[in-house]
Amino acid sequence: MTDIIVSTTSRLEGRPAQDYLGVVTGEVIVGANLFRDLFASVRDIVGGRSGAYEDVLQRARSEAIEEMQGNARKLGANAVVGVDLDYEVIGANGSMLMVSASGTAIRY
C-alpha cells in the first residue's frame, strides 16, 4: 500500500498533477464530556497547557487526516493537496468537537 502525500500547498513541486479526482474529506467527532472528564483528572497543566487535551486533539486530527487519505486512495489518488483542517464545536450546548480535514485528491 502506498502512502498518500498530504500537503497544504496547492501543488507538489516536481510532481505535476495528471488528474484532479475531486474533493475528499475526513471527519472525527469527539464528545465534550470526554474533555470535561479529562480536565477533571488532569494534573499536568503547566503554563495554561494541558497535555491530555493536546493528546486528544492530536489523535482526532490524525484520524481525520487518515480518513481523508483513505477516501483519496479509493479514488486512485496518490496525493491530496490544498488540505485544510477545521475545528468546530457542534451539538446541543457545544457538547461535541468536530475535527475535519479536506483537500483535493490528485494523481501525479
Side-chain angles (χ1 to χ4, degrees):
M1 182 184 301
T2 61
D3 286 331
I4 302 290
I5 295 172
V6 173
S7 177
T8 58
T9 61
S10 60
R11 59 186 191 193
L12 301 175
E13 188 169 334
R15 297 178 176 171
Q18 302 300 312
D19 295 304
Y20 288 86
L21 304 172
V23 173
V24 288
T25 61
E27 296 90 12
V28 173
I29 298 175
V30 180
N33 286 338
L34 174 62
F35 284 102
R36 279 196 294 267
D37 294 344
L38 281 173
F39 188 69
S41 64
V42 170
R43 300 284 184 250
D44 63 338
I45 298 177
V46 178
R49 293 181 64 168
S50 168
Y53 274 103
E54 291 171 1
D55 289 345
V56 170
L57 287 173
Q58 170 73 36
R59 190 171 67 242
R61 183 174 50 249
S62 293
E63 289 175 12
I65 291 170
E66 287 172 15
E67 182 177 309
M68 180 188 65
Q69 288 174 304
N71 290 331
R73 188 174 288 112
K74 290 175 189 174
L75 295 176
N78 52 11
V80 181
V81 295
V83 172
D84 181 52
L85 296 170
D86 289 311
Y87 302 86
E88 292 289 329
V89 177
I90 61 173
N93 301 319
S95 61
M96 293 181 256
L97 174 70
M98 178 176 74
V99 179
S100 63
S102 61
T104 303
I106 65 168
R107 186 174 22 248
Y108 58 84

XYZ file of all heavy atoms in Angstrom:
801
model
N 0.843 -1.170 0.000
C 0.000 0.000 0.000
C 0.893 1.239 0.000
O 1.800 1.357 0.803
C -0.895 -0.019 1.241
C -1.840 1.159 1.301
S -2.838 1.230 2.796
C -3.704 -0.300 2.745
N 0.616 2.166 -0.899
C 1.421 3.374 -0.973
C 0.841 4.448 -0.061
O -0.350 4.498 0.187
C 1.466 3.909 -2.419
O 0.133 4.215 -2.824
C 2.078 2.909 -3.354
N 1.722 5.292 0.422
C 1.289 6.408 1.244
C 0.698 7.496 0.355
O 1.137 7.704 -0.772
C 2.463 6.987 2.028
C 2.874 6.100 3.184
O 2.010 5.390 3.718
O 4.062 6.127 3.543
N -0.279 8.165 0.901
C -0.885 9.305 0.223
C -0.192 10.557 0.743
O -0.208 10.827 1.946
C -2.405 9.385 0.515
C -3.123 8.114 0.090
C -3.009 10.619 -0.124
C -3.211 7.897 -1.391
N 0.446 11.315 -0.137
C 1.087 12.564 0.253
C -0.001 13.569 0.599
O -0.995 13.695 -0.121
C 1.979 13.102 -0.885
C 3.143 12.139 -1.133
C 2.486 14.503 -0.553
C 3.975 12.481 -2.348
N 0.188 14.282 1.696
C -0.760 15.300 2.133
C -0.021 16.625 2.204
O 1.036 16.715 2.831
C -1.353 14.940 3.521
C -2.201 16.067 4.055
C -2.142 13.653 3.438
N -0.585 17.654 1.562
C 0.067 18.957 1.540
C -0.957 20.081 1.641
O -2.036 20.000 1.047
C 0.858 19.114 0.235
O 1.430 20.403 0.174
N -0.591 21.116 2.369
C -1.453 22.295 2.438
C -1.255 23.201 1.230
O -2.060 24.104 1.006
C -1.188 23.105 3.725
O 0.188 23.495 3.746
C -1.527 22.290 4.963
N -0.229 22.939 0.447
C 0.006 23.743 -0.751
C -0.906 23.276 -1.885
O -1.447 22.178 -1.855
C 1.475 23.644 -1.210
O 1.770 22.278 -1.536
C 2.418 24.126 -0.120
N -1.063 24.113 -2.899
C -1.981 23.786 -3.995
C -1.385 22.827 -5.020
O -2.114 22.294 -5.864
C -2.427 25.067 -4.702
O -1.308 25.744 -5.241
N -0.073 22.603 -4.951
C 0.563 21.645 -5.851
C 1.836 21.128 -5.223
O 2.357 21.701 -4.271
C 0.828 22.259 -7.212
C 1.711 23.462 -7.179
C 1.811 24.084 -8.535
N 2.872 25.082 -8.506
C 3.067 25.963 -9.425
N 2.287 25.983 -10.483
N 4.041 26.820 -9.325
N 2.347 20.039 -5.779
C 3.565 19.414 -5.270
C 4.713 19.720 -6.228
O 4.633 19.414 -7.421
C 3.377 17.899 -5.162
C 2.242 17.424 -4.267
C 2.087 15.914 -4.361
C 2.458 17.863 -2.833
N 5.751 20.314 -5.702
C 6.891 20.675 -6.540
C 7.530 19.425 -7.131
O 7.772 18.438 -6.442
C 7.929 21.430 -5.709
C 9.042 21.990 -6.559
C 9.927 22.950 -5.792
O 9.458 23.552 -4.816
O 11.091 23.087 -6.195
N 7.741 19.444 -8.434
C 8.362 18.317 -9.123
C 7.422 17.170 -9.412
O 7.835 16.152 -9.944
N 6.163 17.318 -9.045
C 5.168 16.269 -9.265
C 3.872 16.898 -9.771
O 2.904 17.018 -9.019
C 4.910 15.496 -7.977
C 6.135 14.768 -7.477
C 5.849 14.063 -6.190
N 7.033 13.311 -5.798
C 7.174 12.722 -4.643
N 6.229 12.774 -3.744
N 8.271 12.058 -4.353
N 3.850 17.304 -11.022
C 2.637 17.959 -11.534
C 1.444 17.000 -11.560
O 1.590 15.812 -11.834
C 3.022 18.377 -12.958
C 4.209 17.558 -13.308
C 4.890 17.191 -12.021
N 0.293 17.532 -11.234
C -0.934 16.726 -11.211
C -1.298 16.294 -12.621
O -1.344 17.103 -13.542
C -2.070 17.527 -10.600
N -1.551 15.007 -12.781
C -2.024 14.468 -14.054
C -3.551 14.444 -14.074
O -4.161 14.658 -15.112
C -1.472 13.052 -14.273
C 0.042 12.970 -14.268
C 0.673 13.821 -15.363
O 0.263 13.766 -16.514
N 1.642 14.636 -14.990
N -4.146 14.155 -12.911
C -5.601 14.088 -12.787
C -6.031 14.704 -11.467
O -5.427 14.435 -10.420
C -6.087 12.629 -12.798
C -5.812 11.934 -14.114
O -6.269 12.453 -15.146
O -5.140 10.884 -14.094
N -7.083 15.510 -11.548
C -7.739 16.021 -10.340
C -8.963 15.144 -10.130
O -9.839 15.065 -10.984
C -8.131 17.485 -10.517
C -6.940 18.414 -10.490
C -6.205 18.674 -11.645
C -6.543 19.008 -9.295
C -5.102 19.513 -11.613
C -5.436 19.849 -9.256
C -4.724 20.095 -10.416
O -3.632 20.929 -10.383
N -9.027 14.478 -8.982
C -10.035 13.450 -8.762
C -11.199 13.899 -7.878
O -12.142 13.147 -7.677
C -9.376 12.210 -8.157
C -8.215 11.661 -9.004
C -7.493 10.570 -8.260
C -8.718 11.179 -10.348
N -11.137 15.102 -7.355
C -12.241 15.636 -6.564
C -11.868 15.917 -5.125
O -10.783 15.585 -4.646
N -12.799 16.529 -4.439
C -12.624 16.886 -3.035
C -12.804 15.641 -2.168
O -13.719 14.846 -2.400
C -13.638 17.976 -2.619
C -13.582 18.245 -1.120
C -13.393 19.255 -3.404
N -11.912 15.479 -1.202
C -12.022 14.389 -0.233
C -12.006 14.983 1.171
O -11.409 16.034 1.403
C -10.896 13.342 -0.394
C -11.091 12.516 -1.647
C -9.529 13.997 -0.395
N -12.690 14.300 2.082
C -12.780 14.794 3.452
C -12.583 13.651 4.437
O -12.689 12.478 4.085
C -14.154 15.426 3.734
O -15.169 14.433 3.554
C -14.421 16.608 2.816
N -12.334 14.035 5.659
C -12.299 13.114 6.787
C -12.766 13.887 8.004
O -12.358 15.032 8.207
N -13.670 13.305 8.771
C -14.189 13.981 9.959
C -14.121 13.065 11.168
O -14.338 11.861 11.061
C -15.659 14.405 9.771
C -15.888 15.429 8.692
C -16.162 14.824 7.328
O -16.394 13.601 7.253
O -16.122 15.562 6.347
N -13.853 13.667 12.312
C -13.862 12.964 13.586
C -14.607 13.848 14.571
O -14.366 15.052 14.638
C -12.427 12.695 14.098
C -12.447 12.112 15.496
C -11.694 11.768 13.141
N -15.525 13.241 15.321
C -16.269 13.979 16.337
C -15.929 13.395 17.697
O -15.999 12.186 17.906
C -17.784 13.911 16.071
C -18.088 14.569 14.728
C -18.557 14.576 17.208
C -19.528 14.456 14.296
N -15.550 14.283 18.602
C -15.183 13.895 19.956
C -16.179 14.541 20.905
O -16.423 15.744 20.823
C -13.750 14.378 20.294
C -13.369 13.984 21.704
C -12.755 13.830 19.298
N -16.761 13.756 21.798
C -17.708 14.285 22.765
C -17.034 15.211 23.754
O -15.942 14.930 24.235
N -17.686 16.330 24.063
C -17.134 17.302 25.004
C -17.045 16.715 26.406
O -16.218 17.146 27.206
C -17.970 18.572 25.009
N -17.889 15.748 26.719
C -17.799 15.131 28.039
C -16.431 14.504 28.242
O -15.911 14.505 29.346
C -18.886 14.070 28.219
C -20.241 14.686 28.415
O -20.358 15.833 28.818
N -21.277 13.923 28.127
N -15.870 13.980 27.160
C -14.530 13.430 27.241
C -13.559 14.509 27.696
O -12.719 14.282 28.553
C -14.107 12.868 25.877
C -12.673 12.382 25.747
C -12.423 11.226 26.702
C -12.385 11.975 24.328
N -13.712 15.707 27.125
C -12.835 16.809 27.506
C -13.038 17.198 28.972
O -12.081 17.419 29.687
C -13.075 18.028 26.606
C -12.486 17.875 25.253
C -13.284 17.547 24.177
C -11.130 18.045 25.048
C -12.745 17.395 22.928
C -10.574 17.895 23.787
C -11.387 17.573 22.731
N -14.288 17.285 29.417
C -14.552 17.632 30.820
C -13.969 16.575 31.752
O -13.372 16.892 32.770
C -16.051 17.791 31.053
C -16.577 19.134 30.620
C -17.941 19.389 31.200
N -18.939 18.458 30.673
C -19.710 18.692 29.620
N -19.604 19.823 28.965
N -20.584 17.791 29.217
N -14.154 15.309 31.392
C -13.619 14.232 32.218
C -12.096 14.289 32.284
O -11.498 14.101 33.344
C -14.061 12.867 31.691
C -15.559 12.651 31.818
O -16.209 13.411 32.577
O -16.074 11.736 31.155
N -11.489 14.539 31.138
C -10.033 14.653 31.117
C -9.587 15.820 31.979
O -8.643 15.715 32.755
C -9.530 14.846 29.687
C -9.443 13.606 28.822
C -9.107 14.001 27.398
C -8.444 12.630 29.361
N -10.273 16.940 31.834
C -9.882 18.133 32.572
C -9.993 17.902 34.074
O -9.139 18.350 34.842
C -10.741 19.326 32.152
C -10.258 20.621 32.726
C -9.067 21.175 32.296
C -10.984 21.272 33.707
C -8.606 22.365 32.824
C -10.534 22.461 34.245
C -9.341 23.013 33.802
N -11.031 17.180 34.486
C -11.235 16.920 35.908
C -10.090 16.096 36.483
O -9.746 16.238 37.654
C -12.557 16.207 36.129
N -9.498 15.248 35.662
C -8.442 14.379 36.172
C -7.040 14.822 35.769
O -6.065 14.183 36.131
C -8.681 12.949 35.677
O -8.573 12.912 34.278
N -6.959 15.901 35.032
C -5.660 16.347 34.537
C -4.850 16.973 35.673
O -5.324 17.837 36.384
C -5.828 17.365 33.383
C -4.500 18.018 33.044
C -6.388 16.677 32.171
N -3.643 16.521 35.787
C -2.728 17.094 36.769
C -1.496 17.670 36.080
O -0.569 18.110 36.737
C -2.271 16.015 37.762
C -3.395 15.390 38.519
C -3.907 16.324 39.601
N -4.919 15.678 40.387
C -6.215 16.006 40.367
N -6.640 16.970 39.587
N -7.073 15.372 41.125
N -1.522 17.646 34.746
C -0.320 18.050 34.012
C -0.471 19.415 33.359
O 0.174 19.696 32.365
C 0.044 16.997 32.965
C -1.027 16.831 31.912
O -2.182 17.176 32.154
O -0.679 16.351 30.822
N -1.310 20.269 33.904
C -1.451 21.611 33.332
C -0.284 22.463 33.823
O -0.105 22.662 35.005
C -2.791 22.252 33.716
C -3.940 21.428 33.156
C -2.861 23.686 33.226
C -5.301 21.933 33.542
N 0.482 22.939 32.863
C 1.629 23.775 33.173
C 1.583 24.968 32.245
O 1.520 24.818 31.038
C 2.952 22.999 32.968
C 4.145 23.892 33.250
C 2.985 21.752 33.836
N 1.587 26.138 32.798
C 1.577 27.342 31.974
C 0.338 27.449 31.113
O 0.395 27.965 30.009
N -0.790 26.925 31.592
C -2.038 27.040 30.844
C -2.214 25.989 29.769
O -3.170 26.042 29.015
N -1.322 25.029 29.669
C -1.426 23.973 28.658
C -1.758 22.653 29.309
O -1.286 22.356 30.397
C -0.117 23.831 27.888
C 0.182 25.050 27.038
C 1.439 24.887 26.273
N 1.303 23.788 25.313
C 2.165 23.564 24.352
N 3.220 24.325 24.206
N 1.993 22.560 23.525
N -2.563 21.864 28.611
C -2.921 20.551 29.115
C -2.464 19.488 28.128
O -2.969 19.418 27.007
C -4.431 20.444 29.311
O -4.789 19.100 29.524
N -1.544 18.670 28.548
C -1.056 17.583 27.701
C -2.151 16.616 27.330
O -2.191 16.100 26.212
N -3.098 16.364 28.254
C -4.189 15.430 27.976
C -5.090 15.967 26.872
O -5.473 15.239 25.953
C -4.989 15.159 29.245
N -5.452 17.251 26.946
C -6.265 17.861 25.893
C -5.536 17.807 24.559
O -6.105 17.494 23.526
C -6.561 19.327 26.213
C -7.757 19.560 27.087
C -7.599 19.864 28.428
C -9.042 19.507 26.568
C -8.685 20.104 29.241
C -10.137 19.742 27.375
C -9.959 20.045 28.707
O -11.027 20.285 29.502
N -4.265 18.155 24.593
C -3.481 18.179 23.368
C -3.379 16.796 22.744
O -3.438 16.652 21.525
C -2.102 18.765 23.641
C -2.165 20.251 23.954
C -0.852 20.831 24.433
O 0.156 20.086 24.518
O -0.827 22.033 24.731
N -3.263 15.769 23.573
C -3.210 14.396 23.061
C -4.512 14.019 22.363
O -4.492 13.396 21.299
C -2.925 13.399 24.188
C -1.501 13.496 24.711
O -0.651 14.112 24.043
O -1.248 12.950 25.807
N -5.653 14.398 22.944
C -6.954 14.093 22.332
C -7.092 14.829 21.005
O -7.513 14.244 19.997
C -8.113 14.449 23.287
C -9.456 14.371 22.576
C -8.103 13.531 24.490
N -6.719 16.098 20.968
C -6.801 16.860 19.714
C -5.858 16.293 18.659
O -6.227 16.190 17.479
C -6.495 18.331 19.964
C -7.586 19.104 20.677
C -7.103 20.506 21.030
C -8.841 19.176 19.823
N -4.660 15.917 19.069
C -3.696 15.315 18.134
C -4.259 14.042 17.525
O -4.181 13.821 16.323
C -2.373 15.024 18.859
C -1.378 14.197 18.077
C -0.730 14.958 16.956
O -0.471 16.143 17.090
N -0.468 14.303 15.850
N -4.838 13.193 18.374
C -5.407 11.933 17.897
C -6.574 12.183 16.946
O -6.659 11.563 15.887
C -5.842 11.061 19.077
C -6.205 9.646 18.655
C -6.431 8.723 19.834
N -7.616 9.113 20.588
C -7.624 9.495 21.858
N -6.509 9.539 22.541
N -8.743 9.831 22.460
N -7.448 13.124 17.286
C -8.595 13.439 16.426
C -8.117 13.988 15.080
O -8.632 13.613 14.023
C -9.523 14.438 17.121
N -7.121 14.867 15.102
C -6.584 15.430 13.858
C -5.957 14.332 12.995
O -6.215 14.250 11.789
C -5.556 16.510 14.190
C -4.988 17.199 12.967
C -4.064 18.369 13.305
N -3.048 18.032 14.280
C -3.002 18.496 15.531
N -3.914 19.322 15.969
N -2.024 18.130 16.348
N -5.184 13.444 13.610
C -4.557 12.344 12.863
C -5.602 11.428 12.241
O -5.465 11.005 11.085
C -3.640 11.539 13.772
O -2.539 12.306 14.176
N -6.658 11.111 12.998
C -7.718 10.246 12.485
C -8.461 10.904 11.324
O -8.809 10.229 10.347
C -8.683 9.864 13.600
C -8.069 8.894 14.595
C -8.975 8.592 15.783
O -10.178 8.956 15.745
O -8.488 7.989 16.752
N -8.698 12.212 11.410
C -9.375 12.913 10.314
C -8.518 12.884 9.047
O -9.024 12.641 7.944
C -9.701 14.354 10.721
N -7.216 13.091 9.195
C -6.317 13.059 8.037
C -6.249 11.650 7.454
O -6.295 11.464 6.236
C -4.917 13.583 8.418
C -4.987 15.088 8.699
C -3.897 13.290 7.314
C -3.723 15.672 9.312
N -6.164 10.638 8.318
C -6.124 9.248 7.839
C -7.403 8.886 7.082
O -7.344 8.200 6.055
C -5.916 8.295 9.009
C -4.518 8.325 9.573
C -4.372 7.522 10.856
O -5.273 6.713 11.171
O -3.357 7.724 11.557
N -8.553 9.335 7.574
C -9.815 9.067 6.886
C -9.832 9.752 5.518
O -10.241 9.167 4.518
C -10.994 9.553 7.726
C -12.345 9.259 7.090
C -13.491 9.698 7.982
O -13.495 9.321 9.172
O -14.373 10.412 7.476
N -9.339 10.992 5.459
C -9.258 11.716 4.193
C -8.337 10.980 3.221
O -8.673 10.809 2.041
C -8.757 13.134 4.434
C -8.639 13.980 3.177
S -7.822 15.554 3.480
C -6.174 15.011 3.936
N -7.189 10.503 3.699
C -6.266 9.751 2.856
C -6.926 8.475 2.327
O -6.747 8.126 1.162
C -5.001 9.383 3.626
C -4.082 10.545 3.899
C -2.919 10.150 4.786
O -3.117 9.632 5.887
N -1.710 10.402 4.313
N -7.671 7.793 3.170
C -8.373 6.580 2.746
C -9.379 6.869 1.642
O -9.495 6.103 0.677
N -10.099 7.984 1.774
C -11.068 8.356 0.738
C -10.361 8.721 -0.567
O -10.855 8.409 -1.653
C -11.956 9.502 1.223
C -12.911 9.055 2.307
O -13.320 7.896 2.348
N -13.267 9.965 3.194
N -9.192 9.344 -0.463
C -8.406 9.665 -1.661
C -7.911 8.385 -2.330
O -7.952 8.246 -3.554
C -7.229 10.567 -1.291
N -7.465 7.448 -1.519
C -6.969 6.157 -2.037
C -8.064 5.448 -2.833
O -7.808 4.871 -3.881
C -6.490 5.292 -0.872
C -5.794 4.016 -1.295
C -5.215 3.274 -0.100
N -4.046 3.974 0.428
C -3.984 4.584 1.617
N -5.015 4.582 2.422
N -2.884 5.192 2.003
N -9.309 5.498 -2.340
C -10.436 4.864 -3.035
C -10.660 5.455 -4.420
O -11.171 4.775 -5.306
C -11.719 5.008 -2.218
C -11.742 4.178 -0.962
C -12.993 4.463 -0.149
C -12.921 3.802 1.212
N -14.074 4.194 2.060
N -10.278 6.724 -4.597
C -10.423 7.376 -5.903
C -9.222 7.113 -6.817
O -9.208 7.546 -7.960
C -10.585 8.891 -5.727
C -11.846 9.356 -5.004
C -11.810 10.875 -4.812
C -13.092 8.940 -5.777
N -8.200 6.439 -6.296
C -6.998 6.164 -7.079
C -5.963 7.266 -6.989
O -5.042 7.326 -7.796
N -6.082 8.135 -6.000
C -5.143 9.241 -5.821
C -3.870 8.775 -5.146
O -3.850 7.760 -4.458
C -5.793 10.347 -4.990
N -2.807 9.549 -5.353
C -1.588 9.299 -4.606
C -1.155 10.541 -3.821
O -0.089 10.568 -3.235
C -0.456 8.766 -5.491
C -0.197 9.620 -6.703
O -0.704 10.728 -6.817
N 0.594 9.093 -7.620
N -2.031 11.578 -3.826
C -1.755 12.782 -3.041
C -3.058 13.547 -2.812
O -4.024 13.390 -3.561
C -0.749 13.670 -3.751
N -3.034 14.367 -1.764
C -4.123 15.302 -1.500
C -3.475 16.665 -1.297
O -2.575 16.815 -0.457
C -4.941 14.917 -0.253
C -6.085 15.911 -0.039
C -5.486 13.503 -0.364
N -3.896 17.644 -2.082
C -3.318 18.988 -1.999
C -4.372 19.982 -1.508
O -5.567 19.701 -1.514
C -2.744 19.441 -3.358
C -1.560 18.564 -3.775
C -3.812 19.454 -4.438
N -3.885 21.146 -1.101
C -4.783 22.187 -0.619
C -5.516 21.787 0.651
O -6.651 22.195 0.882
N -4.860 21.002 1.490
C -5.516 20.471 2.690
C -5.789 21.584 3.700
O -4.944 22.440 3.953
C -4.658 19.359 3.331
C -5.222 18.931 4.672
C -4.572 18.170 2.380
N -6.998 21.538 4.246
C -7.431 22.495 5.266
C -7.949 21.705 6.459
O -8.670 20.714 6.280
C -8.545 23.384 4.700
C -9.022 24.407 5.710
O -8.178 25.128 6.278
O -10.246 24.495 5.927
N -7.571 22.117 7.650
C -8.054 21.496 8.884
C -8.966 22.482 9.594
O -8.621 23.658 9.737
C -6.888 21.132 9.806
C -5.933 20.084 9.270
C -4.697 19.998 10.163
C -6.617 18.736 9.179
N -10.131 22.011 10.011
C -11.085 22.853 10.717
C -11.486 22.200 12.023
O -11.589 20.973 12.120
C -12.348 23.079 9.878
C -12.090 23.979 8.686
O -11.486 25.048 8.878
O -12.491 23.607 7.572
N -11.752 23.037 13.003
C -12.217 22.593 14.316
C -13.514 23.334 14.596
O -13.553 24.558 14.539
C -11.192 22.928 15.403
C -9.841 22.313 15.136
C -8.896 22.949 14.330
C -9.508 21.089 15.686
C -7.665 22.376 14.079
C -8.264 20.506 15.447
C -7.351 21.158 14.638
O -6.136 20.588 14.396
N -14.584 22.598 14.886
C -15.895 23.201 15.139
C -16.517 22.599 16.381
O -16.470 21.384 16.573
C -16.845 22.954 13.965
C -16.490 23.663 12.689
C -16.702 25.161 12.754
O -17.613 25.608 13.487
O -15.949 25.877 12.086
N -17.121 23.445 17.194
C -17.916 22.978 18.319
C -19.323 22.774 17.791
O -19.896 23.674 17.173
C -17.902 24.001 19.473
C -18.799 23.547 20.611
C -16.479 24.210 19.963
N -19.891 21.585 17.998
C -21.217 21.269 17.478
C -22.063 20.619 18.570
O -21.559 20.321 19.650
C -21.141 20.348 16.239
C -20.471 19.013 16.598
C -20.420 21.032 15.093
C -20.506 17.999 15.477
N -23.318 20.388 18.265
C -24.212 19.713 19.201
C -24.873 20.684 20.154
O -24.539 21.864 20.216
N -25.823 20.159 20.897
C -26.549 20.954 21.880
C -25.569 21.485 22.924
O -24.778 20.738 23.485
C -27.630 20.105 22.542
N -25.605 22.783 23.126
C -24.732 23.430 24.120
C -23.251 23.200 23.847
O -22.455 23.154 24.777
C -25.084 22.958 25.534
C -26.510 23.258 25.898
O -27.019 24.341 25.573
N -27.180 22.318 26.541
N -22.892 23.023 22.583
C -21.488 22.816 22.246
C -20.916 21.578 22.892
O -19.800 21.579 23.391
N -21.691 20.491 22.854
C -21.315 19.282 23.575
C -20.293 18.413 22.852
O -19.821 17.437 23.420
C -22.559 18.456 23.877
O -23.201 18.081 22.672
N -19.973 18.739 21.589
C -19.018 17.918 20.837
C -18.070 18.811 20.040
O -18.397 19.942 19.711
C -19.767 17.002 19.886
C -20.595 15.957 20.579
S -21.408 14.898 19.390
C -23.055 15.563 19.487
N -16.925 18.256 19.730
C -15.940 18.932 18.905
C -15.738 18.104 17.649
O -15.514 16.892 17.731
C -14.607 19.074 19.645
C -13.449 19.650 18.823
C -13.692 21.132 18.535
C -12.138 19.449 19.542
N -15.820 18.758 16.482
C -15.572 18.071 15.218
C -14.264 18.588 14.629
O -14.033 19.794 14.575
C -16.695 18.326 14.215
C -16.421 17.647 12.871
S -17.754 17.809 11.670
C -17.551 19.516 11.190
N -13.422 17.656 14.231
C -12.193 17.978 13.518
C -12.377 17.447 12.107
O -12.693 16.268 11.917
C -10.959 17.325 14.176
C -9.698 17.657 13.386
C -10.829 17.750 15.621
N -12.227 18.325 11.109
C -12.385 17.886 9.734
C -11.145 18.263 8.916
O -10.525 19.301 9.147
C -13.641 18.475 9.090
O -13.553 19.873 9.024
N -10.822 17.379 7.989
C -9.721 17.600 7.052
C -10.311 17.493 5.653
O -11.082 16.572 5.378
C -8.634 16.550 7.250
N -9.976 18.430 4.792
C -10.479 18.371 3.407
C -9.390 18.856 2.469
O -8.510 19.641 2.834
C -11.741 19.225 3.247
O -11.459 20.587 3.540
N -9.444 18.352 1.244
C -8.481 18.737 0.231
C -8.875 18.157 -1.105
O -9.935 17.540 -1.241
N -8.037 18.365 -2.097
C -8.275 17.875 -3.447
C -7.405 16.657 -3.723
O -6.169 16.733 -3.608
C -7.993 18.962 -4.490
O -8.800 20.095 -4.204
C -8.269 18.470 -5.908
N -8.041 15.551 -4.046
C -7.314 14.324 -4.372
C -6.760 14.446 -5.782
O -7.468 14.871 -6.706
C -8.252 13.120 -4.282
N -5.487 14.109 -5.957
C -4.855 14.158 -7.275
C -4.076 12.863 -7.519
O -3.745 12.136 -6.593
C -3.913 15.364 -7.456
C -2.705 15.258 -6.508
C -4.663 16.678 -7.291
C -1.596 16.230 -6.824
N -3.802 12.647 -8.777
C -2.870 11.591 -9.179
C -1.771 12.316 -9.953
O -2.063 13.055 -10.899
C -3.568 10.546 -10.042
C -2.726 9.353 -10.376
C -3.444 8.223 -11.112
N -4.646 8.617 -11.816
C -5.886 8.243 -11.472
N -6.086 7.476 -10.427
N -6.933 8.630 -12.171
N -0.534 12.126 -9.541
C 0.578 12.795 -10.251
C 1.362 11.794 -11.051
O 1.174 10.608 -10.968
C 1.492 13.557 -9.278
C 2.115 12.739 -8.189
C 3.285 12.033 -8.433
C 1.558 12.672 -6.920
C 3.866 11.277 -7.425
C 2.146 11.930 -5.910
C 3.290 11.231 -6.162
O 3.863 10.488 -5.170
